[in-house]
Amino acid sequence: MPRKHSRRVVAGLTLAALLPAGQGCGTAAPLEAPGSPAPSAATAPSAASPSPSPTAAPDPKLAAILAGKRKIIIHLIPADRDLSATYEGPIATGDGTDDGALFRILPAKNGRYLVEALRAREEGGRWCAAVQTEDNLTTLTTVECQEAAETTFTIEATGAVDDKKRPAHRIVNDDYGTVRWKPAGQVLFLDKAGDSPATFSFVDRGAA
C-alpha cells in the first residue's frame, strides 16, 4: 500500500511539470496580497485617446494693431503696393513712402473696425476709410470718422502670409462686399461677387 501511494504522488508531480505555468487541473489565479487594490482599466494606456493638438498662440503684434495701438501701412499684396489716403479724399495706392500711407485700425461695434487715415487734413478732424459709389463703381474714399454702414469693415484672416511672413487679410464691408483689385487701371473697388479679392498685410510703423 505505501508503494502505490508513492507512485500516485510521483505521477501527479510529473503531470504538473509538463503543464505550462499558470495551467493545470483546477489551478486558481494567484491571490492578491491582502489590502492590495484591484487592477483598474483606467490606469492602462489607451490608444484611442490621442493627446490634443497644440493651439497656436495669438500674435501679440497683430492683436496690438487690431486694438488701435499701432500705426500701420496697409500693404496690397497682389500689387506689391500700399494704400494711401489722398488730400482730396479717395484712397489710392503708392509706394508707401508718403504721409498718406499711414493708417490706424480702430475697433468698432459687433467685431467691425474703422480704418483711420492718419494724414493731416486742412479741415482738421479725424478721417476714416469709407465706401463711395460713383459712376457705377464702388470704391474707397475718406470721410469724418463715425461708425456707419459705409465706414465699418470686417478684417478676415486668409491663413496665408505675404513674402515677409506677415498674415494676409481680406477687408469686407457688410453692405458693399469685399475690397478687390483691378490691375488694369490700378483700381481698388468693392463687390459682393467676382474674382480677385484683394489681400492685405499690415506693416507696423510704431505706436499710435
Side-chain angles (χ1 to χ4, degrees):
M1 290 297 291
R3 288 183 179 178
K4 291 180 180 179
H5 176 72
S6 175
R7 288 194 189 97
R8 284 197 298 271
V9 172
V10 172
L13 291 172
T14 304
L15 178 61
L18 292 172
L19 290 173
Q23 296 184 11
C25 298
T27 304
L31 295 176
E32 296 290 335
S36 298
S40 171
T43 60
S46 172
S49 302
S51 57
S53 56
T55 302
D59 180 352
K61 183 179 289 187
L62 179 60
I65 288 171
L66 296 179
K69 297 178 179 179
R70 310 295 293 177
K71 294 181 289 189
I72 59 169
I73 289 174
I74 301 178
H75 183 63
L76 176 60
I77 296 172
D80 193 23
R81 295 173 67 83
D82 304 304
L83 300 195
S84 178
T86 64
Y87 284 116
E88 296 79 15
I91 292 180
T93 62
D95 60 9
T97 59
D98 63 290
D99 58 357
L102 288 178
F103 292 85
R104 179 167 63 153
I105 294 174
L106 300 172
K109 295 176 182 176
N110 302 318
R112 273 53 176 176
Y113 297 89
L114 295 165
V115 180
E116 182 182 5
L118 297 180
R119 166 173 261 168
R121 297 269 289 264
E122 290 181 3
E123 306 95 315
R126 295 172 64 182
W127 297 78
C128 285
V131 179
Q132 170 184 268
T133 300
E134 189 174 89
D135 298 329
N136 297 318
L137 184 65
T138 303
T139 59
L140 290 174
T141 188
T142 51
V143 298
E144 289 192 77
C145 290
Q146 181 176 326
E147 288 190 34
E150 294 81 11
T151 59
T152 51
F153 302 85
T154 56
I155 296 175
E156 303 175 352
T158 68
V161 295
D162 67 8
D163 60 349
K164 304 294 185 184
K165 306 301 181 185
R166 295 179 294 241
H169 299 81
R170 283 186 289 266
I171 298 176
V172 182
N173 180 274
D174 289 343
D175 292 345
Y176 297 92
T178 303
V179 178
R180 302 176 188 276
W181 170 250
K182 185 186 294 185
Q186 298 185 342
V187 177
L188 284 168
F189 69 101
L190 290 87
D191 199 347
K192 286 192 171 183
D195 298 326
S196 304
T199 53
F200 302 90
S201 58
F202 305 134
V203 184
D204 192 325
R205 283 295 180 260

